[in-house]
Amino acid sequence: MRVFADYHTHTRFSHGKGTVMDNVRAAARKGLEAVAITDHGPANLFGLGVRSLAAFDDIAEEVEKARAAFPGVRVLMGVEANIIDTHGGLDVPADVLERMNIVLAGHHLMVRGRTVSDSWKLAGRNFVARWSRSLAERARVDNTKSLIEAVRRNRVDVVTHPGLHVSIDTEELARECARVGTALEINAKHAHLDVEFVKVAARQGASFCIDSDAHSPDQVGEFGRALEVAIRAGLDPERIINVRA
Ligand SMILES: [Zn+2]
Ligand SMILES: [Zn+2]
């Protein structure tokens, strides 16, 4: 299997270390055909996300410059949007998503929910769930519903690190992703996705995307563990949107 594109990389516009140009240069060096710039949406706490939606205009400008400097690499303008309510609402509005070449969406805990109740359901409750079985069960239902609604209601190309720090019903999510044509990510940075998850999701007909989730330029195109999980799960390369056999 050869991964020809890295569709999940961060820059200084969120909490990555390099510039857009640095990530694209790294992609060119590693022989990637394509790379996406996917900084976090604005709802992340502690400065983990972009400062405001206006940042996407600045990123788009830098993407243009990187395209001119590295014509051999297809540079995708993108975002890793945050889920901010249990109805699958995102922190990036539809008109901004429309301008993106690729849209990733993920459930992050360090996020300001739309309301206090959303913050509790998406973040707070997941932190305390380990001490209460009933809270854990309710969290799992809402975590799964939030992701399913997110891919149903928005244009989402890839769900990032499904189930990272949160409990979800993999089967249900994968079934919906297969239906709407959203890929599930196998993330190289977070070692949470095991072979079993991939097997369960694959049985529902879902497609996958192998990403580095690079937070510094040297991590761009580093797929090591994710590729290993895909191989061990016996995934058909045709089911992975950025892989060629
Ligand atoms: Zn993420
Ligand atoms: Zn990320």
Side-chain angles (χ1 to χ4, degrees), residues 141-155:
V141 168
D142 276 341
N143 294 340
T144 307
K145 177 177 165 237
S146 308
L147 283 165
I148 286 177
E149 290 296 321
V151 301
R152 198 176 273 167
R153 287 181 37 201
N154 307 281
R155 170 236 166 156

Side-chain angles (χ1 to χ4, degrees), residues 115-126:
T115 64
V116 173
S117 158
D118 290 319
S119 290
W120 162 246
K121 286 177 180 164
L122 293 171
R125 191 171 55 189
N126 280 300

Side-chain angles (χ1 to χ4, degrees), residues 8 10 40 80 108 160-161 190 213:
H8 187 172
H10 295 276
H40 289 287
E80 182 178 14
H108 297 96
T160 57
H161 44 68
H190 300 291
D213 198 357

Side-chain angles (χ1 to χ4, degrees), residues 75-186:
V75 186
L76 280 71
M77 170 69 200
V79 60
E80 182 178 14
N82 291 294
I83 292 169
I84 55 167
D85 62 49
T86 53
H87 309 291
L90 301 179
D91 64 344
V92 181
D95 62 311
V96 179
L97 295 184
E98 220 37 64
R99 284 164 24 212
M100 301 288 176
N101 304 127
I102 188 164
V103 175
L104 319 182
H107 183 170
H108 297 96
L109 295 180
M110 300 301 178
V111 154
R112 201 178 314 108
R114 196 182 293 283
T115 64
V116 173
S117 158
D118 290 319
S119 290
W120 162 246
K121 286 177 180 164
L122 293 171
R125 191 171 55 189
N126 280 300
F127 283 111
V128 298
R130 75 181 75 170
W131 294 295
S132 156
R133 196 166 180 180
S134 70
L135 281 184
E137 276 163 14
R138 270 183 285 160
R140 184 177 166 89
V141 168
D142 276 341
N143 294 340
T144 307
K145 177 177 165 237
S146 308
L147 283 165
I148 286 177
E149 290 296 321
V151 301
R152 198 176 273 167
R153 287 181 37 201
N154 307 281
R155 170 236 166 156
V156 177
D157 299 300
V158 180
V159 171
T160 57
H161 44 68
L164 175 67
H165 305 315
V166 294
S167 169
I168 58 167
D169 186 322
T170 303
E171 230 175 273
E172 264 188 63
L173 173 63
R175 200 179 307 131
E176 186 62 17
C177 283
R179 196 181 71 79
V180 300
T182 300
L184 293 165
E185 183 183 61
I186 307 176

